[in-house]
Amino acid sequence: MQILTPHKFHIPVMGLAYSIDSPIKVARFGINSTISIIEDNLLEAMRKHYSKKYGEDYVFISSKEKDYRIKRITNYLSLVQRLVNIEFEKIKASTFTFGSDLMKYFEMLPDSGELKNIFEKFLLTENVSEKENLAVLLKEKMKPGAIEVNIMTKVDKDNLDKNNLPIPNASDALTALKAYACSDLKDSAIVFSAGLNPRLYNYMEDFREFDADVSGYFHKKVVIKVSDYRSALIQGKYLAKKGIWVSEFRIESGLNCGGHVFATPGLLMGPILNEFKEKKEELLESLFSLYNPAIIAKGQQGFPKPHPIKITVQGGIGTSQEDNMLHNYYKVDSTGWGTPFLLCPEATTVDKETLQLLLNSKEKDVIRSQSSPLGVGFNYLKGTSAETERLNRIEKGAPGSPCTEKFLVSNTEFTKKPICTASRKYQKLKIKQLEESDLSEIEYQQQKEDVLSKECLCVGLSNAAALNYEVPFLKKQQAVTICPGPNIVNFSKLSTLREMSDHIYGRSNLMHQKGRPHMFVREIELYIDFLEQQITRTQNPEKRMLKNWGTFCNNLIDGIDYYRELLKKQILENNQEEFESSLKKAELTILKLKDSLLKTG
């Protein structure tokens, strides 16, 4: 039997620092949240901070120790579990008094849940005996939120021995996986994002921590973040053949999200969710038909029926109406609210300067940039200290970053040993190559701009926590990068955890901006902008590219037709006329784009 969370939403991973200690802040209230475990230097700094705060002994784990990375990650995660247990038990041991965290736990719950109904009875009854019995029952049913961890599968640098040879099973993603498996986390989950990594998935097969017990319960569940149904099926089958069950597919909008963006070929969120809804049973049976024989072949006990699979969604959700639609119509098990929580210090960790930038951000300030060394789009807030630092280096004629962390080294264009495209070394060599090339002025400037736009994300996405808690782990490097989704412009005030939960469940409204488009409409706008940018950036497109763009347009038109059917069914509670007007405008833009592509071809 799987333990059910009392809340209908979760807090996804954000950057490296922004949700680094979210479980310590929110798990006591039954809210699930996700930590990135790639940057072990940051985790070690956080372990030092929280050990001191809670009076625990702290012994520094040096990078000279054997398996230091695994030890750092494991020790931090185990510490987080202990602290969550302490804080949760502290709440359970308290009394139902006005303003207490115990009252807050139940007051923040969704109004429709069983636990909230019992709590309402508790508040209303005047019978002393009944009140005492209900108080006991409420405490028995309390559950802490899950501590989830995230591994971005593309961040998997090999680590070398003294002879410069890769150490077996010691790459960044594999060591993070082992560290999680060895940690004390219970009722937890590991979230894999950014696509299938065969080496990582193959390595998982060595760990029994991801097996179900005889009752079918997983203490450490596997979650895959996907952009569409096909990706879920491919990755789910790959793991099922190895006897690994995926307990949740976490669907994220390809563009209407924070951080790295992985655009679909014009497939929109609504049709994607509908496919999951219609094919969920098919997905269950398909994976179980591979999983059960695989575990039996390993000598394990088979199961009579599939384990549960959750379907969750995140990316651009901004109102309780949208949240309700996702739960009620698409039957998702949970919704991910990330970007709005950046303005909730009770849940996330953002330094004061960057927090002020978020509060003042306008639509022009949040861009889909080329800042990531991974070579994919990256939703990014302009005006940060990291952007200022990068531009100052360019102005001084010394572009690029020192590259101290090296998690994103992958380029071997000029060197045998991979280097990062945000590094000084790479940018110096690349710009020299561009200067000596026979490019047109337009192509030269575009490629040069792409090179110079790369930022050190290892440092920039970590520093908010280092600054907030005064635990610097990098000398003379304090610049901060932050990666909210486009949705941030709709929120402009700091909120408490209670205020955010009230907003999500429709008990209040934190959104300041009038005329905000529905999340589905906003995603269409982002996809049109993405396509226009792709076309503009391509000087002499090949026939194959033109064909792909045509397919992209067709998929967008199909998505618009699908939304029109939803309007007829009155599924969308948004202003119907405004929604249809937005669809019409988008459709005309896409048809013009398609027509121009046909003329080009």
Side-chain angles (χ1 to χ4, degrees):
M1 184 185 75
Q2 305 299 310
I3 294 177
L4 299 176
T5 176
H7 279 279
K8 295 164 61 181
F9 72 90
H10 60 272
I11 301 175
V13 67
M14 286 181 276
L16 299 175
Y18 304 112
S19 59
I20 192 70
D21 56 346
S22 291
I24 299 173
K25 297 180 176 186
V26 305
R28 73 186 83 170
F29 297 110
I31 298 169
N32 296 358
S33 59
T34 314
I35 298 172
S36 170
I37 57 170
I38 285 296
E39 173 51 283
D40 59 277
N41 287 312
L42 173 61
L43 296 175
E44 183 65 9
M46 293 300 293
R47 188 171 71 88
K48 178 181 180 180
H49 167 75
Y50 274 106
S51 294
K52 182 179 178 181
K53 182 176 179 179
Y54 280 81
E56 288 206 6
D57 291 336
Y58 169 77
V59 178
F60 175 64
I61 299 171
S62 168
S63 58
K64 295 179 182 179
E65 288 186 36
K66 184 182 179 182
D67 295 330
Y68 74 91
R69 178 172 162 77
I70 294 171
K71 291 176 183 176
R72 285 177 170 182
I73 299 171
T74 298
N75 275 271
Y76 180 66
L77 294 180
S78 296
L79 172 65
V80 171
Q81 181 68 72
R82 289 197 301 277
L83 300 187
V84 166
N85 291 345
I86 288 169
E87 294 298 336
F88 181 67
E89 291 303 322
K90 195 184 294 182
I91 289 180
K92 279 189 75 174
S94 64
T95 56
F96 285 95
T97 54
F98 179 76
S100 68
D101 280 349
L102 184 59
M103 291 288 281
K104 182 178 174 180
Y105 180 100
F106 292 99
E107 287 166 351
M108 288 197 298
L109 294 175
D111 295 333
S112 58
E114 177 201 2
L115 209 51
K116 191 62 171 282
N117 290 335
I118 298 172
F119 179 64
E120 295 291 346
K121 287 181 182 178
F122 166 80
L123 293 177
L124 292 172
T125 185
E126 295 181 1
N127 183 297
V128 175
S129 177
E130 184 183 11
K131 206 173 193 70
E132 288 175 353
N133 290 336
L134 288 172
V136 171
L137 180 62
L138 284 169
K139 288 190 176 185
E140 286 176 352
K141 289 183 173 290
M142 288 175 69
K143 303 291 180 190
I147 304 166
E148 300 177 341
V149 306
N150 179 264
I151 293 179
M152 192 173 183
T153 57
K154 292 184 183 297
V155 183
D156 192 22
K157 172 189 91 269
D158 279 322
N159 290 301
L160 310 178
D161 61 19
K162 293 178 181 178
N163 299 314
N164 281 328
L165 296 173
I167 304 170
N169 297 331
S171 66
D172 287 342
L174 269 61
T175 49
L177 174 67
K178 183 174 182 178
Y180 169 71
C182 294
S183 74
D184 294 337
L185 295 188
K186 299 291 183 186
D187 305 323
S188 175
I190 187 163
V191 183
F192 295 112
S193 60
L196 193 157
N197 177 338
R199 174 167 70 174
L200 179 63
Y201 286 5
N202 293 344
Y203 187 51
M204 282 187 74
E205 202 172 356
D206 296 343
F207 295 93
R208 302 282 63 80
E209 286 82 359
F210 302 107
D211 294 342
D213 63 22
V214 291
S215 69
Y217 181 72
F218 294 91
H219 286 286
K220 287 184 166 74
K221 294 183 277 292
V222 174
V223 177
I224 307 289
K225 191 190 291 186
V226 296
S227 56
D228 58 28
Y229 182 82
R230 181 175 176 272
S231 175
L233 191 61
I234 290 171
Q235 294 189 70
K237 282 185 172 182
Y238 191 98
L239 288 170
K241 289 175 184 177
K242 298 181 177 301
I244 299 166
W245 186 257
V246 179
S247 294
E248 177 186 334
F249 289 104
R250 189 164 290 185
I251 308 161
E252 183 170 73
S253 170
L255 294 176
N256 198 9
C257 59
H260 289 94
V261 297
F262 298 94
T264 67
L267 300 172
L268 298 173
M269 180 64 81
I272 289 169
L273 286 168
N274 197 63
E275 187 171 13
F276 273 94
K277 177 184 172 182
E278 291 182 346
K279 295 181 178 178
K280 185 174 180 180
E281 289 304 315
E282 181 184 324
L283 179 64
L284 266 170
E285 294 300 332
S286 177
L287 299 189
F288 187 65
S289 68
L290 299 172
Y291 165 81
N292 218 35
I295 62 171
I296 291 170
K298 291 180 178 183
Q300 299 175 29
Q301 179 182 325
F303 292 92
K305 62 180 181 179
H307 305 298
I309 290 180
K310 287 185 177 181
I311 304 298
T312 62
V313 63
Q314 58 197 43
I317 309 166
T319 68
S320 60
Q321 289 83 5
E322 290 171 354
D323 192 85
N324 286 333
M325 171 202 64
L326 295 168
H327 281 285
N328 298 334
Y329 184 71
Y330 291 108
K331 307 300 180 185
V332 301
D333 295 285
S334 179
T335 49
W337 287 69
T339 291
F341 269 106
L342 289 171
L343 300 181
C344 179
E346 287 183 35
T348 56
T349 298
V350 184
D351 62 286
K352 290 180 181 179
E353 182 183 336
T354 308
L355 195 56
Q356 198 58 48
L357 284 174
L358 289 170
L359 288 167
N360 297 331
S361 62
K362 301 292 185 285
E363 194 167 327
K364 63 180 176 57
D365 300 319
V366 184
I367 62 169
R368 187 176 58 255
S369 72
Q370 301 296 316
S371 300
S372 174
L374 289 177
V376 296
F378 185 71
N379 279 336
Y380 170 90
L381 181 68
K382 295 172 66 178
T384 61
S385 54
E387 184 186 39
T388 301
E389 181 181 74
R390 176 176 61 83
L391 295 175
N392 286 341
R393 285 170 175 163
I394 294 169
E395 191 176 336
K396 292 175 182 177
S401 303
C403 197
T404 56
E405 303 304 278
K406 295 181 169 52
F407 288 111
L408 300 182
V409 296
S410 61
N411 187 282
T412 54
E413 195 176 347
F414 305 106
T415 57
K416 286 185 178 180
K417 193 174 181 179
I419 57 176
C420 180
T421 56
S423 68
R424 288 173 184 165
K425 185 173 185 178
Y426 174 82
Q427 294 195 5
K428 182 179 179 181
L429 291 168
K430 186 64 179 178
I431 290 170
K432 184 174 184 292
Q433 182 197 63
L434 292 176
E435 289 171 346
E436 295 171 353
S437 64
D438 192 27
L439 295 170
S440 68
E441 183 62 21
I442 293 175
E443 288 177 306
Y444 169 74
Q445 290 298 337
Q446 180 179 295
Q447 290 193 35
K448 182 180 178 182
E449 185 181 334
D450 285 350
V451 172
L452 296 177
S453 68
K454 298 292 182 286
E455 243 173 56
C456 178
L457 300 186
C458 299
V459 174
L461 293 177
S462 297
N463 266 338
L467 292 170
N468 244 27
Y469 299 124
E470 298 180 347
V471 284
F473 60 93
L474 294 166
K475 292 181 180 179
K476 299 180 181 178
Q477 294 193 64
Q478 296 190 332
V480 174
T481 302
I482 197 162
C483 48
N487 203 21
I488 190 65
V489 301
N490 300 300
F491 297 86
S492 63
K493 67 183 286 287
L494 293 181
S495 64
T496 64
L497 189 59
R498 187 196 299 269
E499 287 171 338
M500 268 304 305
S501 64
D502 283 350
H503 175 81
I504 292 168
Y505 294 134
R507 297 187 287 251
S508 67
N509 181 23
L510 293 175
M511 193 169 291
H512 72 281
Q513 187 164 312
K514 294 181 180 179
R516 169 193 175 271
H518 189 280
M519 60 178 286
F520 286 165
V521 169
R522 183 62 181 132
E523 188 188 46
I524 296 172
E525 294 171 350
L526 291 167
Y527 267 99
I528 291 172
D529 180 67
F530 175 82
L531 179 58
E532 288 176 334
Q533 189 181 72
Q534 293 291 305
I535 293 170
T536 302
R537 286 172 57 86
T538 308
Q539 300 299 317
N540 299 297
E542 299 173 356
K543 284 188 177 180
R544 179 177 57 83
M545 194 169 285
L546 290 169
K547 183 181 178 182
N548 289 342
W549 288 340
T551 301
F552 196 107
C553 289
N554 291 337
N555 287 336
L556 289 178
I557 293 295
D558 288 345
I560 287 172
D561 289 340
Y562 169 82
Y563 289 139
R564 286 199 170 113
E565 289 302 312
L566 286 192
L567 283 174
K568 289 178 184 177
K569 297 176 184 176
Q570 296 188 327
I571 301 300
L572 304 169
E573 296 179 32
N574 208 51
N575 184 307
Q576 302 267 320
E577 290 182 9
E578 186 179 322
F579 200 106
E580 173 56 42
S581 175
S582 297
L583 293 182
K584 185 66 177 176
K585 181 181 176 183
E587 184 179 48
L588 289 173
T589 303
I590 296 162
L591 290 174
K592 285 180 182 178
L593 277 172
K594 190 176 178 182
D595 186 54
S596 67
L597 291 173
L598 289 172
K599 289 176 181 177
T600 304

